[in-house]
Amino acid sequence: MTTPTDPPLLDIRNLSVRLGEGAASPALIENINLRIRAGETVGLVGESGSGKTTLGMSLMRLLPPLLDRGLSGQIHYDGDDIVQMDRAELTRLRGGEISMILQDPMASLNPIFTIGNQLKEGLRLHATASGSLEDRAIAALESVRIPSPEARLQNHPHQMSGGMRQRVVGAISLTRAPRLLVADEPTTSLDVTIQYQFLELLKDLQKRAGMAMLFITHDFGVVAKMCDRVAVMYAGQIVEEGPVREIFRRPRHWYTRALLDSVPTLDQALDRLPTIPGSPPSVANRPQGCRFHPRCANAQAKCMQMPPMAELAPAHDVRCWFPLQEQRGAA
Amino acid sequence: MSGAIISARRLGRVFKVTNGGKKQDLHAVSALDIDLMPGKILGVVGESGCGKTTLNRMLLLLDTPTEGEVLFKGQDCSTLAAEARREFRRAVQPVFQNPFSSLDPRMRVGQIIAEPLATIAGMSKQDIQNRVGEVLVAVGLRAEDARRFPNEFSGGQRQRIAIARAIASKPEVLMLDEPVSSQDISIRAQILNILKDLQADYGLSCVFISHDLATVRFMADDVIVMYLGRVIERGTARAICTTPAHPYTKALLAANLPPDPDAPRPELPPQGEIPSPLNPPSGCAYHTRCPLRFERCDRERPNNYPTPHGGTAACHLLDPNLTR
């Protein structure tokens, strides 16, 4: 366990991704500040179009060229700024230091090569390890609990189930022992019983490797299970960030609170679900001032100005002029 | 049971498939019985390959069962005359998961919604236009939206259009196949509320198919849980979601992640992979993943036994004559 005084592994400062150069161009994500410490899991929650995937992609500089040119701010990784890195440095970073698991394992794996072939590609780059390539590939499959790994090496992706494929993607992304894993909705395409097992596996692998994780999801249940801290994104900004318990028990932003309340649960039989009116704005139609105010139950005149991110409790920041006070479920 | 609007009796669907050059039978749905009562919502829960979409298609008469029958108000649907079939099409309407593929991008919203009205004889142009405006307002859109095209709407608004189309012909039954799974969380609650309101206002009966137990708990009165083409447990939504009897339902419940970081860890966490429906396990199909299995489970398919909360479950552990 690290203490809050350790320097963070990843320190994102004022990160923006704009469609074009100049501060006036529309921004996919805007003035993002976020820190991830070694071994820590930070959840990034938001709806589609909130910018969570753009943020994840920008950490590895995997944005399309047009957007990559619109990147500004800093991403300090272990002392270096990823935003300033050249090609050679990025190659060293990708897969080695920071790795990624994406939503659809079929899109991450190449359908015409065997699993073994694709695993060994990553292993070959890892010159320091001992043992034959074959043995290390088998060990990698064993580490993600794939039964009869020797036989599975000969399989093509289509011969495996979705859950199995995602475990192979996990094995590949962990071959070079990254220190940070960006998991972008890794279980959204999986069945619930398979999702559960994959999350357990991921947590276990993380603990053993002491790896940090940025976990991108829209599912608060997954956040509750996986994360130490949570950042909630809305329309390109982080609107609230804090320890996972604080966010669930005592959300300060009206958006966070309303989202949490709108999720049906097993233990209560409600007649109606509380809802948020309207839908999230597109990049081109983001409102003036607080981005959430047109949908907010407590919008006031002041909300026409953009609220700053303010620390309300230790390590709990919120972007709201009138943050919530009471605990959730207390009313 | 009498009085049901739609029933299935020993319903089955076998697909002939070719697997690696071999001809095989795929039992997508087997020996399924349901009764959808007027004004009730029946939840159908299960994971991939459990047959819930095949069931949906058969209940909509979009696919022909290979065994058993679908009854509409007591009448066997395979023998419906043209006129009665047209009445079925009016009375039973679908809402699908993805409103990006279920709405024709080249048709105006008004045309899309008016299409099912063709099943009703004698409606004038003005009647149709009025009805289109009425249902658009009922789902929270504006009557003027009839002139626009689907691409002018967000995902949530498109699903409202799909619902408006479904209720346009004043149906008695809605078949809802994962209607909120492709929606954002802030939109899901809106759509679920609309469906629940419409169901209550018009006294609709619904089949609500979902993989998410918490959503089914909110929507449904009764629930069936399916695994590899068979119903393995049935009961009230409350019983299924709080005191399930079948180990598979318990695993589904354990896999449901509550939005609470202090939620206790489940006693029986889910394990194993879903077997291929092409090669289902012997005996109880769940025995390969069941933490409570014993020797009888891989030999013998369990009967449906009564559960403590008034439902039934297909599990040998509930056999009152069980000796181990």
Side-chain angles (χ1 to χ4, degrees):
Chain A
M1 202 58 213
T2 52
T3 60
T5 51
D6 288 347
L9 179 67
L10 189 80
D11 190 351
I12 305 169
R13 289 191 198 160
N14 277 320
L15 189 73
S16 299
V17 174
R18 289 180 192 284
L19 291 163
E21 280 151 50
S25 335
L28 294 184
I29 56 172
E30 203 176 1
N31 295 328
I32 301 290
N33 288 286
L34 189 67
R35 292 165 170 210
I36 303 176
R37 293 174 203 291
E40 180 183 50
T41 302
V42 175
L44 197 58
V45 233
E47 298 181 88
S48 25
S50 64
K52 52 194 198 304
T53 292
T54 303
L55 177 53
M57 287 295 190
S58 64
L59 299 187
M60 280 175 87
R61 295 282 302 280
L62 287 173
L63 293 170
L66 174 77
L67 295 180
D68 194 57
R69 283 196 293 277
L71 195 66
S72 65
Q74 294 122 45
I75 307 170
H76 294 288
Y77 175 80
D78 204 15
D80 297 322
D81 184 359
I82 293 175
V83 177
Q84 303 300 330
M85 280 185 181
D86 61 26
R87 254 191 125 112
E89 289 170 304
L90 286 173
T91 305
R92 193 186 56 80
L93 183 87
R94 292 172 186 155
E97 294 287 334
I98 307 181
S99 215
M100 238 176 164
I101 302 182
L102 305 178
Q103 175 171 339
D104 179 6
M106 212 49 197
S108 304
L109 295 170
N110 190 326
I112 66 169
F113 291 110
T114 61
I115 297 302
N117 194 311
Q118 300 184 55
L119 256 173
K120 288 171 193 167
E121 186 186 353
L123 289 168
R124 232 173 263 128
L125 295 166
H126 200 9
T128 54
S130 60
S132 78
L133 217 50
E134 186 81 7
D135 288 346
R136 283 159 58 205
I138 290 170
L141 286 188
E142 270 170 353
S143 74
V144 293
R145 296 180 208 147
I146 289 190
S148 44
E150 299 86 349
R152 285 295 182 184
L153 286 181
Q154 314 306 324
N155 277 179
H156 285 82
H158 76 271
Q159 294 169 296
M160 304 181 117
S161 68
M164 199 92 84
R165 275 183 220 138
Q166 196 60 304
R167 280 187 273 163
V168 170
V169 172
I172 292 173
S173 55
L174 300 181
T175 43
R176 295 174 65 200
R179 288 201 281 164
L180 174 67
L181 182 69
V182 178
D184 189 353
E185 305 260 12
T187 57
T188 307
S189 67
L190 303 181
D191 274 309
V192 286
T193 60
I194 308 302
Q195 156 171 287
Y196 187 93
Q197 296 174 70
F198 187 78
L199 292 176
E200 293 270 288
L201 173 72
L202 205 53
K203 230 174 162 173
D204 185 52
L205 292 171
Q206 180 197 18
K207 211 189 286 171
R208 277 192 276 158
M211 184 173 66
M213 196 148 59
L214 180 68
F215 204 106
I216 301 174
T217 179
H218 65 277
D219 185 334
F220 276 111
V222 173
V223 170
K225 182 171 176 63
M226 299 298 287
C227 303
D228 304 307
R229 284 194 305 124
V230 192
V232 181
M233 284 193 81
Y234 186 79
Q237 296 177 323
I238 292 180
V239 296
E240 180 162 16
E241 188 209 329
V244 68
R245 267 183 195 79
E246 278 268 305
I247 297 287
F248 280 86
R249 296 260 182 280
R250 206 183 161 89
R252 301 302 191 103
H253 199 286
W254 294 74
Y255 175 61
T256 314
R257 166 77 188 251
L259 260 194
L260 280 166
D261 286 350
S262 73
V263 180
T265 59
L266 284 171
D267 44 14
Q268 51 192 150
L270 298 170
D271 279 340
R272 290 182 68 82
L273 292 168
T275 56
I276 306 174
S279 50
S282 66
V283 175
N285 294 317
R286 283 180 183 159
Q288 280 290 307
C290 168
R291 296 279 159 79
F292 184 60
H293 85 263
R295 305 176 73 193
C296 183
N298 188 45
Q300 300 177 33
K302 196 174 180 183
C303 303
M304 288 302 288
Q305 296 159 46
M306 175 66 74
M309 202 69 174
E311 183 163 1
L312 289 192
H316 189 165
D317 296 5
V318 66
R319 189 186 286 281
C320 180
W321 293 116
F322 308 100
L324 281 153
Q325 296 302 328
E326 76 274 25
Q327 280 205 301
R328 223 176 129 238
Chain B
M1 204 184 302
S2 62
I5 290 199
I6 289 192
S7 305
R9 291 282 172 267
R10 309 308 288 167
L11 194 65
R13 180 66 167 100
V14 179
F15 291 102
K16 303 278 180 199
V17 295
T18 315
N19 184 26
K22 251 187 343 198
K23 286 208 162 66
Q24 270 189 292
D25 285 353
L26 188 151
H27 294 260
V29 172
S30 306
L32 184 133
D33 290 304
I34 55 170
D35 285 298
L36 180 64
M37 303 308 286
K40 294 286 182 190
I41 302 184
L42 175 69
V44 179
V45 184
E47 297 181 284
S48 347
C50 77
K52 53 191 198 289
T53 294
T54 303
L55 170 64
N56 184 46
R57 291 178 53 81
M58 286 194 286
L59 294 181
L60 281 164
L61 309 188
L62 296 175
D63 193 9
T64 315
T66 48
E67 290 149 37
E69 57 208 15
V70 175
L71 306 178
F72 177 56
K73 296 180 178 169
Q75 212 190 335
D76 182 355
C77 287
S78 64
T79 63
L80 289 183
E83 193 55 33
R85 221 175 159 82
R86 186 184 286 268
E87 164 60 11
F88 180 93
R89 290 275 173 247
R90 179 199 67 77
V92 184
Q93 288 287 334
V95 176
F96 294 106
Q97 173 171 350
N98 185 346
F100 285 80
S101 55
S102 70
L103 304 179
D104 188 332
R106 288 169 303 183
M107 286 169 76
R108 289 181 196 275
V109 166
Q111 293 172 286
I112 291 173
I113 295 174
E115 218 175 15
L117 298 178
T119 57
I120 304 169
M123 278 187 89
S124 73
K125 246 184 165 165
Q126 189 58 47
D127 291 344
I128 290 177
Q129 201 185 332
N130 290 347
R131 183 65 187 151
V132 168
E134 226 172 275
V135 292
L136 276 170
V137 171
V139 298
L141 296 171
R142 296 168 309 155
E144 304 90 89
D145 290 332
R147 286 197 292 272
R148 297 164 69 192
F149 285 98
N151 69 358
E152 298 172 58
F153 296 88
S154 67
Q157 289 169 326
R158 284 185 206 213
Q159 197 61 311
R160 289 173 193 247
I161 294 167
I163 295 168
R165 172 184 62 182
I167 60 169
S169 62
K170 302 191 176 164
E172 291 153 64
V173 180
L174 291 186
M175 301 290 298
L176 308 164
D177 189 357
E178 303 265 15
V180 296
S181 303
S182 68
Q183 304 291 334
D184 261 321
I185 23 180
S186 77
I187 308 301
R188 280 184 195 181
Q190 295 175 6
I191 302 287
L192 291 173
N193 281 344
I194 289 175
L195 288 171
K196 224 177 169 177
D197 288 350
L198 292 172
Q199 189 268 336
D201 292 350
Y202 299 118
L204 298 170
S205 314
C206 303
V207 172
F208 185 85
I209 299 177
S210 178
H211 65 281
D212 179 34
L213 271 180
T215 307
V216 167
R217 167 86 163 113
F218 173 69
M219 290 296 293
D221 299 293
D222 291 305
V223 177
I224 60 173
V225 182
M226 292 181 70
Y227 191 71
L228 291 181
R230 289 175 188 275
V231 176
I232 54 98
E233 182 165 3
R234 59 179 80 218
T236 63
R238 181 192 166 84
I240 294 286
C241 295
T242 55
T243 50
H246 197 286
Y248 175 60
T249 317
K250 288 180 186 172
L252 276 184
L253 203 62
N256 175 75
L257 301 171
D260 175 6
D262 294 315
R265 284 183 59 84
E267 281 169 41
L268 295 177
Q271 56 186 45
E273 293 262 326
I274 303 165
S276 162
L278 268 176
N279 190 15
S282 60
C284 169
Y286 188 59
H287 84 261
T288 54
R289 305 173 71 190
C290 185
L292 305 174
R293 71 176 164 271
F294 56 107
E295 22 72 44
R296 190 169 154 190
C297 299
D298 59 348
R299 284 190 285 110
E300 211 184 305
R301 176 171 301 135
N303 292 327
N304 289 314
Y305 298 107
T307 58
H309 297 275
T312 61
C315 177
H316 290 306
L317 289 170
L318 293 164
D319 182 354
N321 303 318
L322 179 71
T323 47
R324 296 181 66 171

